[in-house]
Amino acid sequence: MGKFNFIQTELPGVVIVEPTVFGDARGYFMETFQKEEFAAAGIADEFVQDNQSSSTRGVLRGLHFQTEHTQGKLVRVVKGEVFDVAVDCRPGSATFGKWVGVVLSAENKKQFYVPKGFAHGFLVLSDEAEFCYKCTDYYTPSAEGGIPYNDPTVGIQWPDCGCEYRLSEKDGKHTPFAQQSFDCFKDM
């Protein structure tokens, strides 16, 4: 048995990763990334930056992408629980404009791989959540892009978190999906 179970989603390239967890009365141990096993599963990206954020219940971050220095992301939750989403923004894709979501938590230890060409976002479902992500390129503020979380063209079914969603000012001003060309992703 491998150290990871790679579960393909309905969006080609977007993968749920379940690590093998070794636990006993002392706690647990798991590997969260192993280059050769990920490459064998079709995830051969080189990760160049690790990020971590902390958010409280109802915080909705996203949906984000970069128009230059596009990023693939491997994400996981080390405290709390989130609903994590990927949206296909590749104009030539058969799943263009489609989305997939998964609950990630410290308890289930699942990870989510979101390749280049996808917008990404998450909603915090627990009182607090710490979210970690590995990125395949560096954050570039001048290349920020996004999609409204409630875009009717995409139609994401966000879960009830028990309170109103809280967005950054920037995330409340994204251009609707149907009004964007996504030329930055046309060759992906």
Side-chain angles (χ1 to χ4, degrees):
M1 178 172 131
K3 297 173 186 169
F4 304 93
N5 181 26
F6 296 93
I7 303 166
Q8 299 294 321
T9 69
E10 55 268 24
L11 300 183
V14 178
V15 180
I16 298 168
V17 182
E18 295 178 334
T20 300
V21 180
F22 301 94
D24 60 26
R26 300 169 298 158
Y28 72 89
F29 171 84
M30 66 181 189
E31 289 185 20
T32 60
F33 178 76
Q34 210 271 357
K35 184 177 179 177
E36 290 79 17
E37 288 209 23
F38 274 67
I43 303 171
D45 293 338
E46 178 183 359
F47 295 99
V48 299
Q49 179 175 321
D50 282 7
N51 303 322
Q52 184 165 339
S53 67
S54 177
S55 305
T56 55
R57 182 183 302 277
V59 168
L60 199 155
R61 296 186 185 268
L63 300 158
H64 302 143
F65 57 84
Q66 288 188 171
T67 58
E68 298 172 8
H69 305 283
T70 57
Q71 296 177 309
K73 297 176 181 175
L74 178 62
V75 301
R76 65 190 179 102
V77 170
V78 296
K79 178 181 180 182
E81 181 177 74
V82 307
F83 182 68
D84 200 77
V85 173
V87 178
D88 192 343
C89 296
R90 302 167 301 164
S93 169
T95 56
F96 178 66
K98 304 292 184 198
W99 66 276
V100 64
V102 62
V103 172
L104 304 177
S105 70
E107 185 176 316
N108 72 22
K109 297 177 180 42
K110 291 180 182 178
Q111 298 179 76
F112 199 42
Y113 174 70
V114 181
K116 295 177 182 181
F118 288 77
H120 171 257
F122 65 90
L123 170 65
V124 178
L125 303 175
S126 54
D127 288 339
E128 186 177 3
E130 289 187 24
F131 190 85
C132 298
Y133 44 114
K134 301 177 89 51
C135 300
T136 61
D137 209 331
Y138 301 104
Y139 170 63
T140 307
S142 63
E144 288 181 334
I147 302 167
Y149 80 95
N150 58 352
D151 190 284
T153 302
V154 178
I156 296 171
Q157 308 263 320
W158 296 98
D160 180 6
C161 64
C163 65
E164 289 188 28
Y165 300 157
R166 294 183 292 137
L167 308 166
S168 69
E169 183 178 341
K170 176 180 62 177
D171 284 348
K173 296 180 178 179
H174 292 310
T175 302
F177 186 88
Q179 294 176 19
Q180 297 192 52
S181 68
F182 299 105
D183 286 341
C184 58
F185 302 133
K186 66 182 176 187
D187 296 325
M188 295 183 182

PDB file of all heavy atoms in Angstrom, residues 76-108:
ATOM      1  N   ARG A  76      -4.325  21.876   2.548  1.00  0.00           N
ATOM      2  CA  ARG A  76      -4.792  21.022   3.643  1.00  0.00           C
ATOM      3  C   ARG A  76      -5.110  21.887   4.850  1.00  0.00           C
ATOM      4  O   ARG A  76      -4.686  23.043   4.928  1.00  0.00           O
ATOM      5  CB  ARG A  76      -3.782  19.943   3.999  1.00  0.00           C
ATOM      6  CG  ARG A  76      -2.492  20.459   4.563  1.00  0.00           C
ATOM      7  CD  ARG A  76      -1.448  19.330   4.659  1.00  0.00           C
ATOM      8  NE  ARG A  76      -0.194  19.811   5.178  1.00  0.00           N
ATOM      9  CZ  ARG A  76       0.221  19.633   6.427  1.00  0.00           C
ATOM     10  NH1 ARG A  76      -0.516  18.958   7.287  1.00  0.00           N
ATOM     11  NH2 ARG A  76       1.385  20.109   6.828  1.00  0.00           N
ATOM     12  N   VAL A  77      -5.853  21.332   5.777  1.00  0.00           N
ATOM     13  CA  VAL A  77      -6.241  22.028   7.002  1.00  0.00           C
ATOM     14  C   VAL A  77      -5.554  21.331   8.173  1.00  0.00           C
ATOM     15  O   VAL A  77      -5.644  20.106   8.301  1.00  0.00           O
ATOM     16  CB  VAL A  77      -7.775  22.023   7.166  1.00  0.00           C
ATOM     17  CG1 VAL A  77      -8.189  22.529   8.534  1.00  0.00           C
ATOM     18  CG2 VAL A  77      -8.413  22.851   6.069  1.00  0.00           C
ATOM     19  N   VAL A  78      -4.890  22.108   9.023  1.00  0.00           N
ATOM     20  CA  VAL A  78      -4.215  21.537  10.193  1.00  0.00           C
ATOM     21  C   VAL A  78      -4.967  21.820  11.491  1.00  0.00           C
ATOM     22  O   VAL A  78      -4.642  21.253  12.531  1.00  0.00           O
ATOM     23  CB  VAL A  78      -2.748  22.003  10.297  1.00  0.00           C
ATOM     24  CG1 VAL A  78      -1.950  21.490   9.109  1.00  0.00           C
ATOM     25  CG2 VAL A  78      -2.643  23.507  10.419  1.00  0.00           C
ATOM     26  N   LYS A  79      -5.971  22.705  11.422  1.00  0.00           N
ATOM     27  CA  LYS A  79      -6.835  22.981  12.574  1.00  0.00           C
ATOM     28  C   LYS A  79      -8.196  23.388  12.038  1.00  0.00           C
ATOM     29  O   LYS A  79      -8.284  24.249  11.160  1.00  0.00           O
ATOM     30  CB  LYS A  79      -6.256  24.108  13.432  1.00  0.00           C
ATOM     31  CG  LYS A  79      -7.116  24.494  14.618  1.00  0.00           C
ATOM     32  CD  LYS A  79      -6.481  25.626  15.397  1.00  0.00           C
ATOM     33  CE  LYS A  79      -7.344  26.012  16.584  1.00  0.00           C
ATOM     34  NZ  LYS A  79      -6.746  27.143  17.319  1.00  0.00           N
ATOM     35  N   GLY A  80      -9.258  22.756  12.525  1.00  0.00           N
ATOM     36  CA  GLY A  80     -10.605  23.129  12.119  1.00  0.00           C
ATOM     37  C   GLY A  80     -11.076  22.430  10.863  1.00  0.00           C
ATOM     38  O   GLY A  80     -10.612  21.334  10.521  1.00  0.00           O
ATOM     39  N   GLU A  81     -11.993  23.111  10.151  1.00  0.00           N
ATOM     40  CA  GLU A  81     -12.658  22.505   8.986  1.00  0.00           C
ATOM     41  C   GLU A  81     -13.046  23.593   7.994  1.00  0.00           C
ATOM     42  O   GLU A  81     -13.540  24.648   8.384  1.00  0.00           O
ATOM     43  CB  GLU A  81     -13.900  21.756   9.460  1.00  0.00           C
ATOM     44  CG  GLU A  81     -14.680  21.067   8.367  1.00  0.00           C
ATOM     45  CD  GLU A  81     -15.859  20.287   8.929  1.00  0.00           C
ATOM     46  OE1 GLU A  81     -16.857  20.924   9.329  1.00  0.00           O
ATOM     47  OE2 GLU A  81     -15.773  19.045   8.976  1.00  0.00           O
ATOM     48  N   VAL A  82     -12.839  23.301   6.699  1.00  0.00           N
ATOM     49  CA  VAL A  82     -13.243  24.214   5.632  1.00  0.00           C
ATOM     50  C   VAL A  82     -13.922  23.429   4.517  1.00  0.00           C
ATOM     51  O   VAL A  82     -13.750  22.216   4.389  1.00  0.00           O
ATOM     52  CB  VAL A  82     -12.049  25.005   5.032  1.00  0.00           C
ATOM     53  CG1 VAL A  82     -11.245  25.715   6.116  1.00  0.00           C
ATOM     54  CG2 VAL A  82     -11.158  24.142   4.168  1.00  0.00           C
ATOM     55  N   PHE A  83     -14.682  24.164   3.702  1.00  0.00           N
ATOM     56  CA  PHE A  83     -15.186  23.632   2.439  1.00  0.00           C
ATOM     57  C   PHE A  83     -14.334  24.276   1.369  1.00  0.00           C
ATOM     58  O   PHE A  83     -14.318  25.499   1.215  1.00  0.00           O
ATOM     59  CB  PHE A  83     -16.665  23.987   2.246  1.00  0.00           C
ATOM     60  CG  PHE A  83     -17.266  23.430   0.984  1.00  0.00           C
ATOM     61  CD1 PHE A  83     -17.442  22.069   0.829  1.00  0.00           C
ATOM     62  CD2 PHE A  83     -17.653  24.275  -0.048  1.00  0.00           C
ATOM     63  CE1 PHE A  83     -18.005  21.547  -0.332  1.00  0.00           C
ATOM     64  CE2 PHE A  83     -18.218  23.766  -1.210  1.00  0.00           C
ATOM     65  CZ  PHE A  83     -18.394  22.401  -1.348  1.00  0.00           C
ATOM     66  N   ASP A  84     -13.578  23.459   0.633  1.00  0.00           N
ATOM     67  CA  ASP A  84     -12.603  23.939  -0.340  1.00  0.00           C
ATOM     68  C   ASP A  84     -13.122  23.701  -1.759  1.00  0.00           C
ATOM     69  O   ASP A  84     -13.701  22.648  -2.030  1.00  0.00           O
ATOM     70  CB  ASP A  84     -11.281  23.200  -0.123  1.00  0.00           C
ATOM     71  CG  ASP A  84     -10.122  23.948  -0.719  1.00  0.00           C
ATOM     72  OD1 ASP A  84      -9.688  24.927  -0.098  1.00  0.00           O
ATOM     73  OD2 ASP A  84      -9.671  23.564  -1.807  1.00  0.00           O
ATOM     74  N   VAL A  85     -12.899  24.676  -2.640  1.00  0.00           N
ATOM     75  CA  VAL A  85     -13.489  24.641  -3.981  1.00  0.00           C
ATOM     76  C   VAL A  85     -12.452  24.949  -5.058  1.00  0.00           C
ATOM     77  O   VAL A  85     -11.600  25.832  -4.876  1.00  0.00           O
ATOM     78  CB  VAL A  85     -14.637  25.676  -4.074  1.00  0.00           C
ATOM     79  CG1 VAL A  85     -15.164  25.788  -5.491  1.00  0.00           C
ATOM     80  CG2 VAL A  85     -15.761  25.299  -3.132  1.00  0.00           C
ATOM     81  N   ALA A  86     -12.561  24.253  -6.178  1.00  0.00           N
ATOM     82  CA  ALA A  86     -11.791  24.540  -7.386  1.00  0.00           C
ATOM     83  C   ALA A  86     -12.776  24.762  -8.537  1.00  0.00           C
ATOM     84  O   ALA A  86     -13.760  24.022  -8.661  1.00  0.00           O
ATOM     85  CB  ALA A  86     -10.862  23.383  -7.730  1.00  0.00           C
ATOM     86  N   VAL A  87     -12.511  25.786  -9.369  1.00  0.00           N
ATOM     87  CA  VAL A  87     -13.342  26.105 -10.530  1.00  0.00           C
ATOM     88  C   VAL A  87     -12.457  26.069 -11.767  1.00  0.00           C
ATOM     89  O   VAL A  87     -11.419  26.737 -11.827  1.00  0.00           O
ATOM     90  CB  VAL A  87     -13.990  27.500 -10.409  1.00  0.00           C
ATOM     91  CG1 VAL A  87     -14.810  27.827 -11.652  1.00  0.00           C
ATOM     92  CG2 VAL A  87     -14.849  27.595  -9.160  1.00  0.00           C
ATOM     93  N   ASP A  88     -12.869  25.308 -12.780  1.00  0.00           N
ATOM     94  CA  ASP A  88     -12.108  25.191 -14.027  1.00  0.00           C
ATOM     95  C   ASP A  88     -12.234  26.480 -14.842  1.00  0.00           C
ATOM     96  O   ASP A  88     -13.331  26.847 -15.261  1.00  0.00           O
ATOM     97  CB  ASP A  88     -12.621  23.998 -14.838  1.00  0.00           C
ATOM     98  CG  ASP A  88     -11.720  23.631 -16.005  1.00  0.00           C
ATOM     99  OD1 ASP A  88     -10.880  24.459 -16.405  1.00  0.00           O
ATOM    100  OD2 ASP A  88     -11.877  22.506 -16.523  1.00  0.00           O
ATOM    101  N   CYS A  89     -11.113  27.165 -15.048  1.00  0.00           N
ATOM    102  CA  CYS A  89     -11.085  28.430 -15.800  1.00  0.00           C
ATOM    103  C   CYS A  89     -10.349  28.286 -17.126  1.00  0.00           C
ATOM    104  O   CYS A  89      -9.987  29.283 -17.757  1.00  0.00           O
ATOM    105  CB  CYS A  89     -10.418  29.514 -14.959  1.00  0.00           C
ATOM    106  SG  CYS A  89     -11.313  29.935 -13.458  1.00  0.00           S
ATOM    107  N   ARG A  90     -10.141  27.063 -17.591  1.00  0.00           N
ATOM    108  CA  ARG A  90      -9.422  26.816 -18.846  1.00  0.00           C
ATOM    109  C   ARG A  90     -10.417  26.834 -20.000  1.00  0.00           C
ATOM    110  O   ARG A  90     -11.229  25.913 -20.124  1.00  0.00           O
ATOM    111  CB  ARG A  90      -8.705  25.474 -18.781  1.00  0.00           C
ATOM    112  CG  ARG A  90      -7.717  25.377 -17.600  1.00  0.00           C
ATOM    113  CD  ARG A  90      -7.258  23.966 -17.355  1.00  0.00           C
ATOM    114  NE  ARG A  90      -8.422  23.119 -17.066  1.00  0.00           N
ATOM    115  CZ  ARG A  90      -8.403  21.791 -17.110  1.00  0.00           C
ATOM    116  NH1 ARG A  90      -7.297  21.150 -17.401  1.00  0.00           N
ATOM    117  NH2 ARG A  90      -9.496  21.103 -16.832  1.00  0.00           N
ATOM    118  N   PRO A  91     -10.368  27.875 -20.866  1.00  0.00           N
ATOM    119  CA  PRO A  91     -11.379  28.034 -21.921  1.00  0.00           C
ATOM    120  C   PRO A  91     -11.549  26.819 -22.845  1.00  0.00           C
ATOM    121  O   PRO A  91     -12.642  26.550 -23.298  1.00  0.00           O
ATOM    122  CB  PRO A  91     -10.883  29.247 -22.708  1.00  0.00           C
ATOM    123  CG  PRO A  91     -10.049  30.003 -21.755  1.00  0.00           C
ATOM    124  CD  PRO A  91      -9.421  28.982 -20.859  1.00  0.00           C
ATOM    125  N   GLY A  92     -10.502  26.061 -23.108  1.00  0.00           N
ATOM    126  CA  GLY A  92     -10.611  24.914 -24.009  1.00  0.00           C
ATOM    127  C   GLY A  92     -11.021  23.622 -23.337  1.00  0.00           C
ATOM    128  O   GLY A  92     -11.161  22.585 -23.983  1.00  0.00           O
ATOM    129  N   SER A  93     -11.266  23.655 -22.039  1.00  0.00           N
ATOM    130  CA  SER A  93     -11.570  22.447 -21.283  1.00  0.00           C
ATOM    131  C   SER A  93     -13.032  22.035 -21.436  1.00  0.00           C
ATOM    132  O   SER A  93     -13.926  22.872 -21.484  1.00  0.00           O
ATOM    133  CB  SER A  93     -11.267  22.694 -19.799  1.00  0.00           C
ATOM    134  OG  SER A  93     -11.775  21.649 -19.007  1.00  0.00           O
ATOM    135  N   ALA A  94     -13.266  20.742 -21.448  1.00  0.00           N
ATOM    136  CA  ALA A  94     -14.642  20.213 -21.492  1.00  0.00           C
ATOM    137  C   ALA A  94     -15.391  20.518 -20.198  1.00  0.00           C
ATOM    138  O   ALA A  94     -16.624  20.477 -20.172  1.00  0.00           O
ATOM    139  CB  ALA A  94     -14.614  18.705 -21.731  1.00  0.00           C
ATOM    140  N   THR A  95     -14.673  20.852 -19.127  1.00  0.00           N
ATOM    141  CA  THR A  95     -15.309  21.163 -17.847  1.00  0.00           C
ATOM    142  C   THR A  95     -15.177  22.655 -17.492  1.00  0.00           C
ATOM    143  O   THR A  95     -15.295  23.026 -16.324  1.00  0.00           O
ATOM    144  CB  THR A  95     -14.731  20.286 -16.715  1.00  0.00           C
ATOM    145  OG1 THR A  95     -13.314  20.454 -16.655  1.00  0.00           O
ATOM    146  CG2 THR A  95     -15.079  18.816 -16.938  1.00  0.00           C
ATOM    147  N   PHE A  96     -14.948  23.495 -18.495  1.00  0.00           N
ATOM    148  CA  PHE A  96     -14.825  24.942 -18.293  1.00  0.00           C
ATOM    149  C   PHE A  96     -16.041  25.488 -17.538  1.00  0.00           C
ATOM    150  O   PHE A  96     -17.181  25.223 -17.895  1.00  0.00           O
ATOM    151  CB  PHE A  96     -14.703  25.642 -19.646  1.00  0.00           C
ATOM    152  CG  PHE A  96     -14.616  27.137 -19.575  1.00  0.00           C
ATOM    153  CD1 PHE A  96     -13.530  27.763 -18.997  1.00  0.00           C
ATOM    154  CD2 PHE A  96     -15.621  27.922 -20.116  1.00  0.00           C
ATOM    155  CE1 PHE A  96     -13.441  29.151 -18.949  1.00  0.00           C
ATOM    156  CE2 PHE A  96     -15.543  29.306 -20.076  1.00  0.00           C
ATOM    157  CZ  PHE A  96     -14.447  29.920 -19.489  1.00  0.00           C
ATOM    158  N   GLY A  97     -15.784  26.218 -16.450  1.00  0.00           N
ATOM    159  CA  GLY A  97     -16.863  26.807 -15.647  1.00  0.00           C
ATOM    160  C   GLY A  97     -17.465  25.866 -14.615  1.00  0.00           C
ATOM    161  O   GLY A  97     -18.308  26.279 -13.829  1.00  0.00           O
ATOM    162  N   LYS A  98     -17.035  24.620 -14.592  1.00  0.00           N
ATOM    163  CA  LYS A  98     -17.536  23.656 -13.604  1.00  0.00           C
ATOM    164  C   LYS A  98     -16.704  23.760 -12.328  1.00  0.00           C
ATOM    165  O   LYS A  98     -15.569  24.203 -12.338  1.00  0.00           O
ATOM    166  CB  LYS A  98     -17.462  22.222 -14.128  1.00  0.00           C
ATOM    167  CG  LYS A  98     -18.197  22.008 -15.439  1.00  0.00           C
ATOM    168  CD  LYS A  98     -19.677  22.129 -15.269  1.00  0.00           C
ATOM    169  CE  LYS A  98     -20.369  21.809 -16.595  1.00  0.00           C
ATOM    170  NZ  LYS A  98     -21.717  22.303 -16.624  1.00  0.00           N
ATOM    171  N   TRP A  99     -17.284  23.294 -11.225  1.00  0.00           N
ATOM    172  CA  TRP A  99     -16.596  23.357  -9.948  1.00  0.00           C
ATOM    173  C   TRP A  99     -16.692  22.027  -9.217  1.00  0.00           C
ATOM    174  O   TRP A  99     -17.560  21.197  -9.520  1.00  0.00           O
ATOM    175  CB  TRP A  99     -17.187  24.469  -9.069  1.00  0.00           C
ATOM    176  CG  TRP A  99     -18.614  24.216  -8.639  1.00  0.00           C
ATOM    177  CD1 TRP A  99     -19.736  24.494  -9.352  1.00  0.00           C
ATOM    178  CD2 TRP A  99     -19.051  23.605  -7.418  1.00  0.00           C
ATOM    179  NE1 TRP A  99     -20.843  24.099  -8.644  1.00  0.00           N
ATOM    180  CE2 TRP A  99     -20.468  23.564  -7.459  1.00  0.00           C
ATOM    181  CE3 TRP A  99     -18.387  23.117  -6.300  1.00  0.00           C
ATOM    182  CZ2 TRP A  99     -21.215  23.038  -6.412  1.00  0.00           C
ATOM    183  CZ3 TRP A  99     -19.131  22.587  -5.258  1.00  0.00           C
ATOM    184  CH2 TRP A  99     -20.537  22.558  -5.327  1.00  0.00           C
ATOM    185  N   VAL A 100     -15.793  21.838  -8.263  1.00  0.00           N
ATOM    186  CA  VAL A 100     -15.826  20.686  -7.377  1.00  0.00           C
ATOM    187  C   VAL A 100     -15.402  21.184  -5.997  1.00  0.00           C
ATOM    188  O   VAL A 100     -14.576  22.090  -5.878  1.00  0.00           O
ATOM    189  CB  VAL A 100     -14.919  19.538  -7.879  1.00  0.00           C
ATOM    190  CG1 VAL A 100     -13.460  19.931  -7.886  1.00  0.00           C
ATOM    191  CG2 VAL A 100     -15.139  18.269  -7.087  1.00  0.00           C
ATOM    192  N   GLY A 101     -16.020  20.620  -4.967  1.00  0.00           N
ATOM    193  CA  GLY A 101     -15.693  21.005  -3.602  1.00  0.00           C
ATOM    194  C   GLY A 101     -15.508  19.793  -2.708  1.00  0.00           C
ATOM    195  O   GLY A 101     -16.047  18.724  -2.987  1.00  0.00           O
ATOM    196  N   VAL A 102     -14.742  19.995  -1.636  1.00  0.00           N
ATOM    197  CA  VAL A 102     -14.470  18.925  -0.686  1.00  0.00           C
ATOM    198  C   VAL A 102     -14.294  19.539   0.699  1.00  0.00           C
ATOM    199  O   VAL A 102     -13.786  20.650   0.836  1.00  0.00           O
ATOM    200  CB  VAL A 102     -13.212  18.118  -1.109  1.00  0.00           C
ATOM    201  CG1 VAL A 102     -11.971  19.002  -1.134  1.00  0.00           C
ATOM    202  CG2 VAL A 102     -12.995  16.908  -0.224  1.00  0.00           C
ATOM    203  N   VAL A 103     -14.746  18.807   1.720  1.00  0.00           N
ATOM    204  CA  VAL A 103     -14.500  19.235   3.094  1.00  0.00           C
ATOM    205  C   VAL A 103     -13.107  18.749   3.489  1.00  0.00           C
ATOM    206  O   VAL A 103     -12.791  17.566   3.383  1.00  0.00           O
ATOM    207  CB  VAL A 103     -15.569  18.678   4.062  1.00  0.00           C
ATOM    208  CG1 VAL A 103     -15.191  18.968   5.511  1.00  0.00           C
ATOM    209  CG2 VAL A 103     -16.934  19.273   3.737  1.00  0.00           C
ATOM    210  N   LEU A 104     -12.296  19.695   3.928  1.00  0.00           N
ATOM    211  CA  LEU A 104     -10.966  19.397   4.445  1.00  0.00           C
ATOM    212  C   LEU A 104     -10.969  19.734   5.927  1.00  0.00           C
ATOM    213  O   LEU A 104     -11.488  20.788   6.317  1.00  0.00           O
ATOM    214  CB  LEU A 104      -9.900  20.250   3.750  1.00  0.00           C
ATOM    215  CG  LEU A 104      -9.807  20.175   2.238  1.00  0.00           C
ATOM    216  CD1 LEU A 104      -8.750  21.155   1.735  1.00  0.00           C
ATOM    217  CD2 LEU A 104      -9.498  18.762   1.782  1.00  0.00           C
ATOM    218  N   SER A 105     -10.387  18.863   6.739  1.00  0.00           N
ATOM    219  CA  SER A 105     -10.364  19.138   8.175  1.00  0.00           C
ATOM    220  C   SER A 105      -9.116  18.546   8.812  1.00  0.00           C
ATOM    221  O   SER A 105      -8.467  17.658   8.242  1.00  0.00           O
ATOM    222  CB  SER A 105     -11.612  18.564   8.852  1.00  0.00           C
ATOM    223  OG  SER A 105     -11.576  17.152   8.865  1.00  0.00           O
ATOM    224  N   ALA A 106      -8.817  19.042   9.998  1.00  0.00           N
ATOM    225  CA  ALA A 106      -7.723  18.458  10.771  1.00  0.00           C
ATOM    226  C   ALA A 106      -8.037  17.001  11.090  1.00  0.00           C
ATOM    227  O   ALA A 106      -7.138  16.166  11.160  1.00  0.00           O
ATOM    228  CB  ALA A 106      -7.502  19.258  12.044  1.00  0.00           C
ATOM    229  N   GLU A 107      -9.318  16.693  11.235  1.00  0.00           N
ATOM    230  CA  GLU A 107      -9.727  15.334  11.571  1.00  0.00           C
ATOM    231  C   GLU A 107      -9.585  14.372  10.384  1.00  0.00           C
ATOM    232  O   GLU A 107      -9.028  13.289  10.519  1.00  0.00           O
ATOM    233  CB  GLU A 107     -11.175  15.325  12.068  1.00  0.00           C
ATOM    234  CG  GLU A 107     -11.635  13.970  12.552  1.00  0.00           C
ATOM    235  CD  GLU A 107     -13.038  14.015  13.139  1.00  0.00           C
ATOM    236  OE1 GLU A 107     -13.341  14.945  13.904  1.00  0.00           O
ATOM    237  OE2 GLU A 107     -13.833  13.107  12.810  1.00  0.00           O
ATOM    238  N   ASN A 108     -10.087  14.764   9.198  1.00  0.00           N
ATOM    239  CA  ASN A 108     -10.036  13.823   8.065  1.00  0.00           C
ATOM    240  C   ASN A 108      -8.684  13.835   7.353  1.00  0.00           C
ATOM    241  O   ASN A 108      -8.392  12.934   6.580  1.00  0.00           O
ATOM    242  CB  ASN A 108     -11.201  14.026   7.094  1.00  0.00           C
ATOM    243  CG  ASN A 108     -11.115  15.282   6.250  1.00  0.00           C
ATOM    244  OD1 ASN A 108     -10.059  15.875   6.018  1.00  0.00           O
ATOM    245  ND2 ASN A 108     -12.275  15.716   5.752  1.00  0.00           N
TER     246      ASN A 108
END
